[in-house]
Amino acid sequence: MATGFSNEKSAEYVVINDLYCNIKDKCSLFYPIIYQSKRDDTMISLQNNIDNLRLLICFARRPKVNSIYDEIIEITFRETLFKHANYFYDKGVDSIIGIPIGSRIEEIGFGAKCKWLVPEKNGDGKFSCCLVDKSSLKCVMESDNVNELKEGAIIDIMRRAKKWSWNEILELLKNWYWQERQEAFTSFGFWVRGQRPIFIVYKLK
């Protein structure tokens, strides 16, 4: 059985760096956040009167292998990834998935090759996986509810995105957060279950 050898937080750092490097010349603002109530939505934050912003949801997955010498990388997709993606699809916000591709630590740091995918809109939301060739970055086994993104497709998605004000984005994220809180609060406290989304707030040039 394929096993991961890194954590999702490390994958987040790498894929956000890759995404920024690919589109930085087309953006005047690129601001990734993991939404936290009473951090991102303070009175000071709400004083930022910014319009013409756009929003993209990004999920980071980690590579899994059987051996550090493997050429085929397994990528799994949790049910909660599709749950969050579908929630934001319904609000008019697209999602993408990024994965550092490698079979050993030295291959998945900053500057690593990343595979970019897109979850199907309103798909079945079941756990799934795909296999990616490390050298070509091509899927050799596709997932039923995730599709490959062709070169240039990410900026096309970003250009199609609707425009928001900063306060509208915060309101959207706050509503999502409180819905998650109601569904997941236990005696041990609250956390966003499973796959946590990264929210990319950006402005195109």
Side-chain angles (χ1 to χ4, degrees), residues 3-189:
T3 304
F5 55 96
S6 62
N7 64 77
E8 285 179 1
K9 185 59 67 177
S10 295
E12 288 175 1
Y13 297 145
V14 175
V15 300
I16 291 301
N17 177 71
D18 184 75
L19 178 61
Y20 178 67
C21 289
N22 285 329
I23 56 92
K24 63 182 179 180
D25 293 338
K26 299 174 178 65
C27 291
S28 59
L29 172 67
F30 182 94
Y31 181 52
I33 62 175
I34 302 274
Y35 179 79
Q36 287 186 292
S37 180
K38 297 182 174 63
R39 295 292 187 273
D40 294 297
D41 56 1
T42 63
M43 291 302 295
I44 296 294
S45 178
L46 292 169
Q47 290 175 16
N48 287 269
N49 187 23
I50 314 172
D51 292 315
N52 297 318
L53 297 173
R54 301 172 199 251
L55 181 64
L56 179 68
I57 313 300
C58 179
F59 298 99
R61 300 301 295 149
R62 59 198 178 107
K64 295 182 178 182
V65 294
N66 295 295
S67 160
I68 64 170
Y69 304 105
D70 281 359
E71 290 297 315
I72 302 300
I73 311 301
E74 180 177 313
I75 305 157
T76 58
F77 309 102
R78 301 180 184 182
E79 294 93 335
T80 49
L81 184 155
F82 302 107
K83 175 180 179 289
H84 298 319
N86 286 337
Y87 177 92
F88 286 103
Y89 277 143
D90 288 343
K91 308 298 181 183
V93 183
D94 285 323
S95 296
I96 57 175
I97 306 167
I99 312 95
I101 298 299
S103 57
R104 57 187 75 192
I105 294 296
E106 59 193 340
E107 294 176 337
I108 59 168
F110 276 16
K113 295 187 293 185
C114 291
K115 180 67 176 177
W116 289 96
L117 306 163
V118 59
E120 285 193 354
K121 293 186 178 181
N122 300 312
D124 58 25
K126 296 179 181 178
F127 178 89
S128 66
C129 69
C130 71
L131 300 178
V132 175
D133 183 276
K134 186 169 75 172
S135 300
S136 68
L137 292 186
K138 299 292 185 183
C139 284
V140 296
M141 186 190 84
E142 297 184 350
S143 161
D144 292 335
N145 45 17
V146 173
N147 298 312
E148 292 187 82
L149 282 173
K150 296 179 180 179
E151 186 174 352
I154 293 178
I155 192 62
D156 289 339
I157 292 172
M158 296 175 75
R159 285 179 176 138
R160 292 197 303 267
K162 65 181 289 188
K163 294 180 181 179
W164 307 74
S165 70
W166 174 243
N167 285 2
E168 287 173 335
I169 288 176
L170 289 181
E171 185 68 18
L172 174 69
L173 302 190
K174 182 169 70 172
N175 290 340
W176 164 79
Y177 175 87
W178 283 104
Q179 178 171 308
E180 283 295 304
R181 186 181 178 92
Q182 289 179 341
E183 293 178 0
F185 191 81
T186 69
S187 58
F188 296 102

